[in-house]
Amino acid sequence: MDETKRPTFGQWLLDRARRAGYQIPDRGEQARLARDSGIVSPTLTRLLADSGTPSIDSLQALAAFFGDPLSEILIHAGWLTHDDVDRVRTRPAVARPITPDEALDELGITDPGDRRIVEAVIDTVKRNRATGDASDERTAD
């Protein structure tokens, strides 16, 4: 969908409420929607009127109430785009643990001697874990 032709959040919310069976703009129906969704009536009025930016609490309440994914509500509220959501969904998972060299680089440890010391400590810990050696545990005297 072209993001520029998307309805306002208030328009979307009005349509979504009507699809859920609420006969808005009837004030009694708006009050019922507020009560049922857990959103206070003045906040719901502001959301329907496109007055201000919806809070994350309101968006989470609407997502839970309507049974819609929060990501879709965030898109309708203008907090995210479909591309933002797709990028998160398609981000590859890390397939392997970080290596000691990568950790040292990330920590900014560049001195070769310091790197050898840290790598030796990591190797010792790995060996102890693999063999179940508890000699590296410290006890209070």
Side-chain angles (χ1 to χ4, degrees):
M1 172 184 238
D2 183 357
E3 299 289 336
T4 61
K5 297 184 180 177
R6 186 182 63 228
T8 67
F9 184 72
Q11 292 167 337
W12 173 83
L13 180 55
L14 177 62
D15 178 65
R16 185 66 184 89
R18 287 179 176 161
R19 285 186 286 128
Y22 293 87
Q23 302 303 312
I24 297 175
D26 180 293
R27 294 298 268 171
E29 287 290 284
Q30 188 170 319
R32 184 170 71 93
L33 175 59
R35 186 175 51 255
D36 293 351
S37 66
I39 296 174
V40 295
S41 193
T43 298
L44 183 61
T45 298
R46 280 191 285 99
L47 294 176
L48 289 165
D50 287 314
S51 176
T53 303
S55 71
I56 191 68
D57 291 337
S58 295
L59 299 176
Q60 288 174 320
L62 289 170
F65 175 70
F66 289 128
D68 295 339
L70 179 59
S71 60
E72 291 301 313
I73 306 285
L74 291 168
I75 290 168
H76 290 294
W79 285 40
L80 296 175
T81 66
H82 287 283
D83 288 342
D84 294 330
V85 173
D86 289 343
R87 266 193 302 279
V88 171
R89 287 183 181 154
T90 58
R91 180 173 291 149
V94 176
R96 60 174 180 71
I98 189 171
T99 67
D101 278 335
E102 291 168 333
L104 292 168
D105 290 342
E106 187 69 25
L107 292 169
I109 300 172
T110 58
D111 180 75
D114 291 344
R115 290 177 76 93
R116 282 192 298 276
I117 291 169
V118 174
E119 288 169 349
V121 169
I122 291 171
D123 289 342
T124 301
V125 170
K126 284 181 176 179
R127 269 193 314 279
N128 289 345
R129 284 186 170 187
T131 62
D133 184 359
S135 64
D136 63 333
E137 292 180 14
R138 306 281 182 233
T139 57
D141 289 323

